[in-house]
Amino acid sequence: MLLRILDRLEEILISTLMGAATVLIFLAVVHRFGTGIPFLYPYLIQIHIAWTQELCIYMFIWMAKFGAAYGVRTGIHVGVDVLINRLNDRWRKRTVLFGLMGGALFTAIVGTMGAKFVIELMSTDQTSPDLEIPSWIVYACIPLGSYLMCFRFLQVVWTYWWTDELPHHDATHVDGVETSKNAPIALGEA
């Protein structure tokens, strides 16, 4: 139950950040080119939106950190497993587990170093240039996203240890859409 809640929160955070950043970028572009239109210039020049670029950068960084954890959970990260697939089952399992544990260790180290950095940053008065929010809020995505990614690696390790199954992303599957045996397979068959 708690894992489902965490999964949903992760998905909601990523999609909200992506959608909000897209809307902000669209508004900034409309504002920039709208000021070139003579009758809109007096109205639009009074609206100061220089902060949108900084906010979008931060939103994309947060989205990338949590998106990486989502990628581990769903198996959408690109992997080169040509040599691993040629190993016998016993060595393949050991090699995959070693790689997953290496990923967990790496993200735990990055998360710990990031947490130390954020804790030290909290004692300063540093703020972001345009938004003027405390810098530690911006950098908090490093430990949070890294620890979540470490948890996802350990989750995959646990599942793989007991079931010998890795998460696999099927690019042809869309949640909520049922497949039919009579459905066209290729674009030319439609």
Side-chain angles (χ1 to χ4, degrees):
M1 178 67 174
L2 290 176
L3 287 177
R4 276 194 228 145
I5 293 171
L6 181 62
D7 293 350
R8 279 308 276 164
L9 286 175
E10 184 180 49
E11 292 165 1
I12 289 169
L13 178 67
I14 294 166
S15 60
T16 301
L17 289 171
M18 191 181 307
T22 303
V23 169
L24 279 175
I25 290 171
F26 175 76
L27 292 175
V29 169
V30 167
H31 180 267
R32 175 175 284 166
F33 289 106
T35 55
I37 300 172
F39 72 91
L40 292 177
Y41 179 81
Y43 304 107
L44 293 179
I45 198 65
Q46 296 176 17
I47 302 171
H48 301 286
I49 59 169
W51 53 270
T52 58
Q53 181 178 359
E54 182 178 311
L55 180 59
C56 284
I57 290 169
Y58 297 152
M59 292 169 84
F60 276 110
I61 291 169
W62 275 72
M63 181 182 51
K65 286 300 290 178
F66 286 90
Y70 175 81
V72 172
R73 175 174 61 97
T74 59
I76 60 175
H77 281 291
V78 175
V80 181
D81 56 0
V82 173
L83 294 176
I84 293 171
N85 288 338
R86 291 179 175 244
L87 297 173
N88 65 35
D89 290 341
R90 190 173 125 226
W91 282 103
R92 180 180 187 274
K93 186 166 186 167
R94 287 180 182 179
T95 306
V96 169
L97 287 172
F98 177 77
L100 291 170
M101 292 301 290
L105 176 65
F106 175 75
T107 53
I109 291 170
V110 170
T112 303
M113 292 173 66
K116 182 181 177 196
F117 177 73
V118 169
I119 290 168
E120 290 174 3
L121 200 56
M122 289 172 79
S123 63
T124 69
D125 293 331
Q126 290 185 18
T127 59
S128 65
D130 291 332
L131 295 171
E132 296 182 2
I133 58 174
S135 292
W136 68 268
I137 293 174
V138 174
Y139 289 102
C141 68
I142 296 169
L144 294 174
S146 296
Y147 284 139
L148 180 61
M149 194 170 178
C150 178
F151 172 74
R152 295 302 187 185
F153 271 119
L154 295 174
Q155 191 178 20
V156 172
V157 165
W158 178 264
T159 303
Y160 185 65
W161 178 266
W162 293 107
T163 66
D164 288 336
E165 291 184 21
L166 290 168
H168 177 70
H169 178 71
D170 183 6
T172 62
H173 175 72
V174 178
D175 287 335
V177 176
E178 294 182 25
T179 57
S180 169
K181 294 178 184 176
N182 298 331
I185 297 172
L187 189 60
E189 296 179 28

